[in-house]
Amino acid sequence: MTDLTVDLGNALAAEARPGVSEGALDRLDDRVARAHETITAGMAADGFGYASLGLPERTDPGAIEAAVADLDADHVLTVGIGGSALGAATVSAALGLADRHHTLDNVDPVETRRLLDALPLDRTTVNVVSRSGTTAETLANFLVVREAMDEAGVDWTERTVVTTGAEGPLRTAATEQGLPALSVPEGVPGRFSALSAVGLVPAAVLGGDIEGVVRGGAAGREALLAGGSLFDYPGYAYGAVAYALEQRGATVTAMLPYAESLEPFAEWFAQLWAESLGKDGLGQTPARALGATDQHSQLQLYRGGRHDKLVTLVRPRERADMAVPATDVEGMSYLGDATLGELLDAEFEATEASLAAADQPNIRVELPRVDGPGIGRLLYEMEAACVLAGELLGVETFAQPAVEWGKRAARGLLGGGEFPEAEAVAEKTTRVVGGE
């Protein structure tokens, strides 16, 4: 089996509570077909948001590689936040580049100083990403990085690439300083932009297989256009069942990959699902976990807690492996006939069975391997799942009004303009316990 697959068996009503009956799936598929018509029409018209699902056809890996060809580097430091950073981290990790790709996606001064002190700045490319070019956290970190490079005697203009919109401070800086600059795709919210320059520049600088990533996304797009049913297309199967389970009380969705190189994917998924679907009192709350590590922490809740969760277990079918050395020590000798990969697979299947035995709904997602095509396909299908879930919920999938409210409030507090949202900070109700 070479394609991505979604196994819904443990989310059926016969196995889980809440669960979805086969009859309900049949009825839901009629709605999926109508949503598919809306989605494909939006794709054809390059409509806002729907254009995201056309990125594999619009993204030119060769052009990205050419733009960064002169940025010889051992490390990449991405300065961005949210969708301007999580997709790139996911791609880099899947391509085995996590130890060379670093991210400043917060404004914690302690962590910023630690990272800048640890990096060889003369061998680091700075990758600055912001659609608007006005994101306060990104601009502040960029100014801090520039100063650190100046103090280290490094010409930051020779080591910086910018990905931004057609206008704004970052576009102006790139033009004035002659920096290599790429464009964020039009009509694509940041959290849906991983299969564009937004997500691919760091891997391109470090020599990763970005062509394979785009090819994997293209395979997902072809499957979507050839499908139209939750019984044909894995992305729709996932999105439809996640929607159906939410309607039945599963208001938490836990993403549990069984590969360390997919841990950033769980973070990317959390933003995608939360920011896209959390509107009008709807949307599942995402949780992030890592197999097998979090079997020793979060699994107790997922198995023994409320029946308000959908757990998604993700694994590659193929991976590099390592043998466990033989030993005669009692209680350990049985491990000597196994490999670490076999142990991880056993942990995966045991967790899946444990959840099913407790009637907790779970879905299995498998990809061929964690590589360029594999991560490209996984990202695309989860984006399609999210878009479908948004259509079924009837929410504005591609908007993020709560995020914009917070941005305006913060900017007003910092003196970046007059924003009424900033006044809400002074109106906070306090009832302090402790202190002097």
Side-chain angles (χ1 to χ4, degrees), residues 67 71 124-128 142 145-146 149 155-162 170 178-181:
L71 295 171
T124 298
T125 286
V126 181
N127 171 47
V128 190
F142 182 35
V145 172
R146 281 171 44 171
M149 285 189 149
D155 185 351
W156 66 268
T157 66
E158 296 294 322
R159 307 210 63 81
T160 300
V161 56
V162 170
L170 281 182
L179 308 177

Side-chain angles (χ1 to χ4, degrees), residues 187-274:
V188 177
R191 59 191 175 278
F192 286 91
S193 64
L195 297 175
S196 74
V198 174
L200 300 177
V201 164
V205 172
L206 298 172
D209 179 23
I210 66 169
E211 189 278 330
V213 177
V214 175
R215 190 169 68 249
R221 177 181 176 274
E222 291 171 7
L224 182 153
L225 294 175
S229 165
L230 69 87
F231 300 113
D232 295 331
Y233 184 56
Y236 282 177
Y238 187 86
V241 171
Y243 158 79
L245 288 174
E246 179 188 345
Q247 298 300 294
R248 290 159 173 78
T251 56
V252 175
T253 180
M255 184 58 67
L256 181 57
Y258 276 71
E260 298 240 0
S261 56
L262 289 177
E263 188 171 16
F265 160 74
E267 295 190 36
W268 171 87
F269 175 85
Q271 182 196 6
L272 179 77
W273 217 250

Side-chain angles (χ1 to χ4, degrees), residues 78-425:
T78 291
V79 180
I81 195 167
S84 295
L86 291 173
T90 299
V91 169
S92 294
L95 297 181
L97 303 170
D99 59 336
R100 300 170 60 198
H101 179 206
H102 317 271
T103 302
L104 278 179
D105 61 351
N106 204 345
V107 284
D108 181 337
V110 175
E111 174 60 17
T112 299
R113 172 51 58 197
R114 182 205 66 76
L115 182 55
L116 291 176
D117 286 347
L119 283 174
L121 297 179
D122 61 334
R123 296 293 303 157
T124 298
T125 286
V126 181
N127 171 47
V128 190
V129 188
S130 170
R131 171 186 296 280
S132 66
T134 62
T135 306
E137 298 94 336
T138 300
L139 293 180
N141 274 332
F142 182 35
L143 293 173
V144 168
V145 172
R146 281 171 44 171
E147 181 177 66
M149 285 189 149
D150 285 339
E151 291 175 350
V154 178
D155 185 351
W156 66 268
T157 66
E158 296 294 322
R159 307 210 63 81
T160 300
V161 56
V162 170
T163 304
T164 190
E167 299 177 349
L170 281 182
R171 179 63 65 176
T172 300
T175 301
E176 291 178 350
Q177 300 294 336
L179 308 177
L182 295 111
S183 297
V184 297
E186 290 293 327
V188 177
R191 59 191 175 278
F192 286 91
S193 64
L195 297 175
S196 74
V198 174
L200 300 177
V201 164
V205 172
L206 298 172
D209 179 23
I210 66 169
E211 189 278 330
V213 177
V214 175
R215 190 169 68 249
R221 177 181 176 274
E222 291 171 7
L224 182 153
L225 294 175
S229 165
L230 69 87
F231 300 113
D232 295 331
Y233 184 56
Y236 282 177
Y238 187 86
V241 171
Y243 158 79
L245 288 174
E246 179 188 345
Q247 298 300 294
R248 290 159 173 78
T251 56
V252 175
T253 180
M255 184 58 67
L256 181 57
Y258 276 71
E260 298 240 0
S261 56
L262 289 177
E263 188 171 16
F265 160 74
E267 295 190 36
W268 171 87
F269 175 85
Q271 182 196 6
L272 179 77
W273 217 250
E275 199 166 61
S276 299
L277 305 179
K279 292 144 192 168
D280 303 331
L282 301 170
Q284 292 171 312
T285 300
R288 294 167 285 178
L290 177 66
T293 301
D294 286 311
Q295 290 175 212
H296 297 267
S297 56
Q298 298 179 42
L299 181 59
Q300 176 61 46
L301 173 67
Y302 299 158
R303 188 182 195 276
R306 293 186 178 94
H307 285 254
D308 61 352
K309 289 167 283 294
L310 163 64
V311 180
T312 302
L313 299 96
V314 185
R315 72 171 173 183
R317 295 189 197 92
E318 298 177 16
R319 69 175 103 218
D321 210 345
M322 180 179 293
V324 177
T327 180
D328 293 329
V329 177
E330 185 177 353
M332 296 172 60
S333 58
Y334 75 99
L335 293 170
D337 293 327
T339 67
L340 290 181
E342 290 169 345
L343 177 57
L344 193 57
D345 282 339
E347 299 280 9
F348 176 102
E349 291 165 12
T351 298
E352 185 179 53
S354 171
L355 292 167
D359 300 329
Q360 296 283 11
N362 61 93
I363 293 176
R364 175 192 291 205
V365 177
E366 292 185 316
L367 58 156
R369 60 196 64 83
V370 183
D371 59 5
I375 197 63
R377 182 71 181 264
L378 181 61
L379 289 169
Y380 188 92
E381 300 242 3
M382 286 299 162
E383 288 180 1
C386 183
V387 174
L388 175 70
E391 296 291 334
L392 296 174
L393 284 167
V395 299
E396 295 288 337
T397 307
F398 306 114
Q400 51 279 335
V403 176
E404 299 304 326
W405 195 100
K407 287 182 178 180
R408 291 189 296 270
R411 192 169 180 183
L413 290 173
L414 291 168
E418 295 293 330
F419 297 95
E421 291 86 353
E423 298 174 7
V425 177

